[in-house]
Amino acid sequence: MRLARWFLSLSLLVALFIGVSARAQSVDTAGLEVDVRDPSGAKVEGATLTLTNTATHDVRVGVSGKAGVFRFVALQPGGYELLVEHAGFAQTRQTGITLSVGQASTANIALTVASSDAVVQVNADVSQIDPDRTTIGQTISQEEIDNLPSDGRNFLDFAITVPEVTTTQTTGQNSGFSVNGQRSRSNSIMIDGVENNGQLNGNVRQTLSQDAIAQFQVLTEQFPAEFGGAGGGFINVVTRAGTDKFHGTAYYFTRQQFLNSSNAFSNTNPSIYSRNDLGLSVGGPIKSNRTYFFGALEYVGLNTSKYSYIGSYASAVDGTLAAGKLIGSPVRGVDTDGYIPQSSAQTLASMRIDHRISDRDTLIGRVLYVQYLQANSTNTGGYYDLSAATSTYTHTQNYFAEWTHIFSPTLLNELHAMVAPQRLKQLPHVYGTGAAIGGVVNIGATSDFPVTLDEDHYEIDDALSKTLGRHLFKAGVQVNYIRARSYFPTNFVGYWSFYTTGNFALAAPQPYRYVQSFGNPDIHLPDTLIGGYIEDSWKATSRLTLNLGVRYDLDLQPQGFNQNANDPIQASLSHGMARDYNNFAPRVALSYAIDKKGKTVLRAGYGMFYDKNLLILARNTLQTKQQLVMTLNNSGTTTAAANTALINAFATGPYTNTASFPTTGFGAGFAPSISRSFPGTVLPIIHQMDLGIDRALTSKLVLSITGIHVEGEKLLKAANSNLAPPVILTSANQTYFGYAVSNGTTTCNGVNSSSGKSQPCYQQLNRAFYGDMRDPTTNALIRAGRLDPHYYDISITGPWGHSNYNGLRIGLQQNAWHGLTVRAGYVWARAEDDAPDFLNGALPDNPYNPKAEKSLSNEDVRNRFTGSMVYRIPYHTNRRHFTWTKAILGDWIMSGTYITGSGTPQNITVGSDMNNDGSTSTDRPFINGVIVGRNAFRGARQSSASARGQKEIRFPRGQRLTFSAEAFNLFNHYNITDFDTSWGTGQNPTARTPTSTGKPGSYYGEADAASGSRVMQLGIRYKF
């Protein structure tokens, strides 16, 4: 409470202090500094500046100060013209000023002595190097958005054309990309200055039609203090606004299988693939010079299929299914078609209205709507029967308002408000118990479904900007209230795992693992994110700009749960999540023009950023849930036939009453497994440092070289905290862990013919082991493998992770020179960490040796090059002087992208639980007598070139009809995205031999997945 009062006092102090001000532009707007001089170069005070938006004719007025300077802030991106007036001088009009989102540009005005009523006309030559900018990133222009090839027309596709941004290699729901090697859940995506991030999973909540986007900014380093809640990168999208003229588009794009190529890992039936994308957009004035609208509507439909390899195994699997032995499942046989039909339908709609209330007040209202339906989807990797498929329904809305009020030419306030509800449901193809047969097929409902994830966001932000001399101060407060509901019944209907089809096909099937959850999978999770900041963008000299700021972030994680002491599950759980109040983050950045003309600019900065703790951690911690986990090494016995308990459990079938952990039946006597969070959990911290130089080679061409260092601390990572210190399993003590002495007649995990006990594998011997030690004769417990006997596994998540990234970036950018726009960049980088995430089985091989987990990150892309180009061929059709040559060769737009990068690390694992720590995905093998380090396998280089050609046919009154052809992965490069890195349980890897059978990728070191082959898309677009 004391800290809450202190924060409120700080906010009031900030509001009072804001009487001084800043040079920085806002998140979703731009800024323009006007520097007025007389013919001798002296500063001109008192010049009247009139800035007009050429599309909407909105007018802003300012007066130059003592330094001859005035700063326009909070300008909508677009084209402008500037009129400068002062007694004794001729009027000067500068045209052709173009401002991008996040840009802080400068217009230098040299007045001339008055000559009657003459107006001096000047065409703006705004430097592309932007000498006062302190942030680092790239802006994707409307020219690029409209013309670059975009596979899927998803606005996030443009992000990976920036060299520091890579496609994430970590599974699970997230933003889909990594910035400077950081976790993919650590990015922030904003639309019109408000957040667009899933607080449950860190995913991107809302997408929108590409035609509704005006500009797209990717910020990678040196974020001002107004940016918070993320430690990776920021993507800033500005929606398109209407103008004083009616304009719009209608389009249709199609892809058909006969136009496409395939590869060895094709997941589609060659005869089933069709994608159709159609939409329209229109904008214009509602009331000229005052109110404008822009709307967009798009529909994308897809019909395809997923390859499902069951083949000759079907008969063996079907016998057990037909007999109804998979109790609780309605599946009586697997689908043998070889392909699972899949389809999806997405509808995107948006409407934006801009209204100028007065010369001092403007209002923006914007609505986004998305509906997404998907049928028969399956998880990536592995092979699935149709019964294991799921269907998804997502319905997302976003209501946004922005009010800008100008108190005076030097004092301005921006208020943002947003309401954004989202509903998501995922339903299984069939309900009931599921089973996984190793390397062959997954049958029945997968462990996580059905799912309901509802997440509503209510955000309000306010920012006040004040210009005072060479300072532009800005302060603001951001409040985001989140109301989430998660119904996530993981394993509540039970899930079985089998080593082979042989185990499944036995008269008494022999699983090696069974998991079932108990309790209540439904939970409501409120969260409130509060941020406050103050920053000063100070133009200390004509060459030096400093940006100084501090930010405070507060995450009011859920509390007040599990109050029912009579509920045996709730009684053992936490009542709430830890809250971290010490979250001050300083930011400092500078830009210095080395030469007087500002053609060479030095940029440097340091920033501290507090990342977010997602509500999925709160869900896993606070949800009323316990798990029954049965494995061969947790079967409750070390007597003969150690798997008898699992065989009997399978014959009995799952528990139908899942309200509480079982005390009778086959699960009686087993300790439950639970999830917890560390009581001292705090927000993760990211430190960013960079130093770089920009050089304007020409007025349109800029070269940049930047060194980057990013360090993460207190990152979330998970471990099993209930494991007792391990004992090395040897041939001398293996019988104390319930294993048989080898009689030479059986193999690893087989059953000794004389004792009926399992034998240890090669990869188990001489490894740290966490099982119970019992007297092999009396079965008396000598040493427990778990610290707390009331639980089996306790998965705990806490702030123990670290990461480190170092990179060197070289970039080249040319803006619209003779119709040619080019961006190119190269990055050398090294990314390290000690955990890729805190979910998806990202546990250490040995929690008592956490230093052994430090290695190359999943996101380590050592070398990466990206390039993009849009070229409007300067050869046009002239209706007055028509020739067939111009008709055929004129009005073409050629564009393309090329992206290539090093392969990423992959973890080599045994493929099963060798050390009895409860995880099947973390045990790494002995290679040459030493346990291999994490992420020791390097994947293959990735390369892809995409191209687009467009032919315009021009009609009167600005109408155009455009035909286009696009190719994604133009050269059909074979991009292997995954290898089989399961070593196996023996001394040598499970390598393919000349007599081996099985599908591609089923042996160690073999490629088992590749990215999309060449895809062709044809389109037609009408513009007016």
Side-chain angles (χ1 to χ4, degrees):
M1 180 63 71
R2 181 185 303 172
L3 285 173
R5 290 196 300 267
W6 175 88
F7 179 71
L8 178 60
S9 301
L10 175 66
S11 301
L12 294 173
L13 179 62
V14 166
L16 293 173
F17 180 69
I18 203 68
V20 269
S21 179
R23 154 93 176 132
Q25 66 289 344
S26 296
V27 172
D28 60 330
T29 58
L32 177 67
E33 178 182 281
V34 182
D35 190 344
V36 185
R37 304 294 178 112
D38 65 15
S40 68
K43 306 167 185 176
V44 177
E45 180 182 2
T48 301
L49 314 174
T50 304
L51 186 66
T52 303
N53 185 309
T54 57
T56 63
H57 302 293
D58 286 348
V59 174
R60 295 274 291 273
V61 178
V63 178
S64 60
K66 291 182 179 180
V69 173
F70 181 82
R71 298 180 178 91
F72 291 99
V73 297
L75 299 172
Q76 290 298 315
Y80 289 86
E81 66 176 30
L82 174 68
L83 179 65
V84 182
E85 302 172 283
H86 192 284
F89 296 96
Q91 291 184 357
T92 299
R93 185 185 304 275
Q94 188 172 79
T95 60
I97 300 172
T98 301
L99 300 177
S100 302
V101 58
Q103 184 180 9
S105 191
T106 301
N108 297 308
I109 303 297
L111 298 178
T112 60
V113 177
S115 175
S116 64
D117 294 327
V119 177
V120 178
Q121 192 83 15
V122 179
N123 187 48
D125 186 19
V126 179
S127 172
Q128 298 301 315
I129 205 168
D130 199 359
D132 298 320
R133 173 177 54 84
T134 56
T135 59
I136 291 181
Q138 291 190 6
T139 298
I140 314 299
S141 66
Q142 189 168 319
E143 173 79 352
E144 293 173 288
I145 292 171
D146 289 345
N147 295 300
L148 282 177
S150 174
D151 188 2
R153 286 176 55 81
N154 185 334
F155 69 89
L156 290 176
D157 291 341
F158 296 113
I160 61 173
T161 65
V162 177
E164 305 99 300
V165 182
T166 59
T167 303
T168 184
Q169 303 301 310
T170 302
T171 58
Q173 289 193 338
N174 49 58
S175 64
F177 58 91
S178 168
V179 179
N180 290 330
Q182 303 308 295
R183 293 181 177 182
S184 55
R185 300 180 194 268
S186 297
N187 301 310
S188 180
I189 290 85
M190 295 176 291
I191 301 177
D192 292 326
V194 292
E195 62 85 24
N196 184 42
N197 310 296
Q199 184 63 8
L200 267 169
N201 296 311
N203 60 328
V204 181
R205 286 168 49 83
Q206 184 92 36
T207 188
L208 65 164
S209 173
Q210 190 171 305
D211 277 33
I213 298 174
Q215 291 187 353
F216 182 92
Q217 186 185 34
V218 181
L219 297 177
T220 54
E221 300 102 42
Q222 289 188 19
F223 318 122
E226 63 184 301
F227 291 89
F234 286 82
I235 288 185
N236 199 7
V237 178
V238 176
T239 56
R240 193 170 294 189
T243 67
D244 256 351
K245 295 181 179 180
F246 285 101
H247 57 96
T249 61
Y251 54 86
Y252 171 69
F253 298 99
T254 185
R255 304 180 191 180
Q256 301 298 327
Q257 181 61 41
F258 71 89
L259 294 171
N260 301 335
S261 300
S262 60
N263 60 50
F265 303 100
S266 174
N267 288 329
T268 60
N269 187 329
S271 62
I272 305 177
Y273 183 87
S274 176
R275 185 181 189 275
N276 296 286
D277 185 336
L278 62 157
L280 57 87
S281 65
V282 62
I286 297 176
K287 185 176 181 180
S288 187
N289 296 332
R290 185 167 293 273
T291 309
Y292 314 92
F293 78 96
F294 187 90
L297 178 65
E298 183 171 0
Y299 170 84
V300 182
L302 173 66
N303 287 297
T304 183
S305 61
K306 170 72 179 289
Y307 182 51
S308 178
Y309 182 94
I310 301 176
S312 60
Y313 298 111
S315 58
V317 172
D318 282 349
T320 297
L321 294 174
K325 294 180 181 179
L326 186 59
I327 299 174
S329 172
V331 181
R332 294 297 178 264
V334 295
D335 182 72
T336 57
D337 290 343
Y339 297 95
I340 298 175
Q342 297 180 327
S343 62
S344 65
Q346 184 177 46
T347 302
L348 309 168
S350 64
M351 175 61 70
R352 169 171 167 159
I353 296 178
D354 293 62
H355 177 62
R356 181 166 57 87
I357 303 172
S358 67
D359 291 340
R360 290 179 175 266
D361 296 275
T362 57
L363 185 66
I364 298 174
R366 189 256 297 138
V367 178
L368 303 177
Y369 171 87
V370 175
Q371 178 177 280
Y372 180 70
L373 304 172
Q374 186 180 37
N376 293 338
S377 64
T378 57
N379 292 335
T380 57
Y383 293 90
Y384 295 83
D385 179 55
L386 178 61
S387 63
T390 60
S391 295
T392 299
Y393 169 77
T394 305
H395 181 256
T396 308
Q397 302 167 74
N398 187 298
Y399 303 93
F400 164 84
E402 175 183 300
W403 174 32
T404 301
H405 176 70
I406 302 172
F407 293 99
S408 71
T410 61
L411 183 63
L412 178 144
N413 190 80
E414 299 168 87
L415 178 67
H416 292 159
M418 180 192 71
V419 176
Q422 183 180 61
R423 300 290 178 267
L424 182 147
K425 289 186 180 297
Q426 292 179 301
L427 304 175
H429 191 80
V430 298
Y431 287 83
T433 306
I437 303 175
V440 177
V441 67
N442 293 270
I443 304 168
T446 52
S447 59
D448 293 337
F449 301 105
V451 169
T452 296
L453 296 177
D454 298 338
E455 188 173 334
D456 300 340
H457 287 222
Y458 305 86
E459 181 176 352
I460 185 165
D461 308 333
D462 191 71
L464 190 64
S465 302
K466 170 68 180 176
T467 303
L468 185 65
R470 291 182 171 272
H471 294 268
L472 172 58
F473 288 88
K474 185 174 184 179
V477 175
Q478 303 158 343
V479 180
N480 187 8
Y481 172 69
I482 298 153
R483 188 174 61 192
R485 179 205 173 194
S486 172
Y487 178 81
F488 201 69
T490 302
N491 294 314
F492 268 74
V493 294
Y495 204 78
W496 302 93
S497 298
F498 294 81
Y499 280 124
T500 66
T501 54
N503 296 132
F504 188 75
L506 291 171
Q510 295 181 348
Y512 73 87
R513 180 179 172 87
Y514 178 67
V515 181
Q516 187 171 9
S517 298
F518 301 86
N520 182 2
D522 200 353
I523 187 170
H524 293 258
L525 297 166
D527 195 6
T528 302
L529 307 176
I530 301 173
Y533 64 90
I534 183 167
E535 60 188 24
D536 172 17
S537 187
W538 172 31
K539 192 161 187 177
T541 70
S542 60
R543 298 190 189 182
L544 176 64
T545 298
L546 297 173
N547 194 296
L548 311 172
V550 63
R551 181 181 179 89
Y552 178 79
D553 285 298
L554 177 63
D555 184 354
L556 298 178
Q557 286 271 312
Q559 293 186 348
F561 284 75
N562 302 317
Q563 303 295 333
N564 185 3
N566 295 321
D567 186 314
I569 298 180
Q570 285 195 26
S572 65
L573 299 178
S574 170
H575 298 315
M577 303 299 293
R579 292 178 175 176
D580 179 16
Y581 295 94
N582 184 25
N583 303 316
F584 287 96
R587 316 277 174 87
V588 57
L590 66 85
S591 63
Y592 177 71
I594 296 175
D595 60 319
K596 291 183 179 181
K597 294 184 178 181
K599 290 187 175 182
T600 305
V601 177
L602 176 73
R603 306 187 199 278
Y606 164 79
M608 182 176 176
F609 303 86
Y610 285 92
D611 208 342
K612 51 203 166 203
N613 282 338
L614 299 173
L615 285 176
I616 192 172
L617 175 60
R619 183 193 70 188
N620 293 347
T621 301
L622 304 176
Q623 188 179 49
T624 305
K625 186 180 80 170
Q626 292 182 343
Q627 276 196 336
L628 167 65
V629 180
M630 298 175 64
T631 68
L632 287 177
N633 288 317
N634 182 35
S635 60
T637 178
T638 60
T639 59
N643 60 356
T644 300
L646 276 167
I647 294 174
N648 292 338
F650 185 82
T652 303
Y655 286 93
T656 55
N657 182 1
T658 59
S660 60
F661 196 83
T663 57
T664 61
F666 63 80
F670 283 82
S673 295
I674 61 173
S675 296
R676 289 178 175 173
S677 63
F678 182 66
T681 296
V682 296
L683 293 180
I685 300 173
I686 304 295
H687 302 272
Q688 288 188 359
M689 290 156 273
D690 56 29
L691 175 65
I693 191 166
D694 292 352
R695 171 66 182 177
L697 304 179
T698 70
S699 61
K700 298 292 185 180
L701 185 63
V702 176
L703 173 69
S704 62
I705 302 175
T706 305
I708 308 158
H709 174 72
V710 184
E711 187 171 331
E713 60 173 318
K714 302 182 180 179
L715 307 181
L716 292 180
K717 61 184 296 189
N720 188 344
S721 65
N722 203 35
L723 299 177
V727 174
I728 302 300
L729 178 66
T730 66
S731 57
N733 66 12
Q734 65 186 47
T735 57
Y736 288 83
F737 289 100
Y739 288 107
V741 176
S742 174
N743 60 5
T745 62
T746 181
T747 58
C748 167
N749 282 328
V751 177
N752 185 291
S753 58
S754 60
S755 67
K757 296 181 180 181
S758 299
Q759 288 189 186
C761 306
Y762 172 87
Q763 291 292 343
Q764 286 180 298
L765 293 172
N766 302 311
R767 179 185 294 272
F769 197 77
Y770 301 97
D772 290 346
M773 291 188 70
R774 295 177 178 271
D775 187 291
T777 302
T778 65
N779 201 35
L781 181 66
I782 299 174
R783 182 182 184 277
R786 298 298 189 264
L787 296 173
D788 186 341
H790 297 96
Y791 300 101
Y792 183 57
D793 291 331
I794 301 177
S795 177
I796 187 166
T797 300
W800 309 303
H802 299 82
S803 68
N804 190 70
Y805 174 92
N806 292 287
L808 176 67
R809 179 186 62 248
I810 301 174
L812 194 66
Q813 182 165 345
Q814 176 176 282
N815 291 333
W817 179 76
H818 295 291
L820 179 63
T821 299
V822 175
R823 283 187 297 113
Y826 167 80
V827 168
W828 176 92
R830 181 183 177 90
E832 298 177 326
D833 60 24
D834 51 19
D837 201 358
F838 63 96
L839 297 171
N840 304 311
L843 299 171
D845 179 81
N846 182 351
Y848 287 91
N849 185 19
K851 292 183 178 180
E853 300 304 303
K854 183 178 179 180
S855 70
L856 296 176
S857 166
N858 287 14
E859 314 298 343
D860 178 63
V861 180
R862 193 57 51 86
N863 298 276
R864 190 168 192 264
F865 173 83
T866 65
S868 65
M869 174 273 293
V870 177
Y871 183 40
R872 289 183 175 269
I873 298 176
Y875 191 62
H876 304 290
T877 303
N878 189 320
R879 289 189 297 113
R880 293 184 179 181
H881 305 284
F882 177 84
T883 67
W884 282 107
T885 301
K886 287 187 176 182
I888 296 173
L889 300 180
D891 300 314
W892 280 89
I893 304 173
M894 308 302 294
S895 60
T897 61
Y898 178 67
I899 300 172
T900 184
S902 304
T904 52
Q906 290 183 229
N907 206 19
I908 304 174
T909 64
V910 175
S912 55
D913 187 4
M914 293 289 96
N915 58 7
N916 198 39
D917 66 351
S919 173
T920 61
S921 60
T922 60
D923 296 21
R924 300 192 293 270
F926 285 101
I927 300 179
N928 296 325
V930 179
I931 292 183
V932 69
R934 178 174 149 260
N935 281 349
F937 188 97
R938 173 73 71 170
R941 171 171 290 277
Q942 306 291 298
S943 295
S944 180
S946 298
R948 184 182 195 183
Q950 302 175 83
K951 168 63 178 176
E952 291 184 338
I953 300 175
R954 302 190 179 196
F955 297 95
R957 300 180 181 177
Q959 300 177 86
R960 299 183 182 186
L961 186 64
T962 304
F963 297 91
S964 64
E966 297 172 80
F968 309 104
N969 193 9
L970 175 64
F971 303 111
N972 202 29
H973 186 78
Y974 187 56
N975 287 307
I976 299 171
T977 56
D978 190 58
F979 289 84
D980 185 331
T981 56
S982 179
W983 182 273
T985 58
Q987 181 176 1
N988 298 311
T990 52
R992 185 182 293 274
T993 67
T995 59
S996 296
T997 61
K999 54 190 175 293
S1002 57
Y1003 294 88
Y1004 176 80
E1006 290 187 345
D1008 59 11
S1011 61
S1013 55
R1014 180 173 54 242
V1015 174
M1016 300 290 294
Q1017 178 170 281
L1018 303 178
I1020 183 171
R1021 176 188 292 269
Y1022 169 68
K1023 289 185 179 182
F1024 65 91

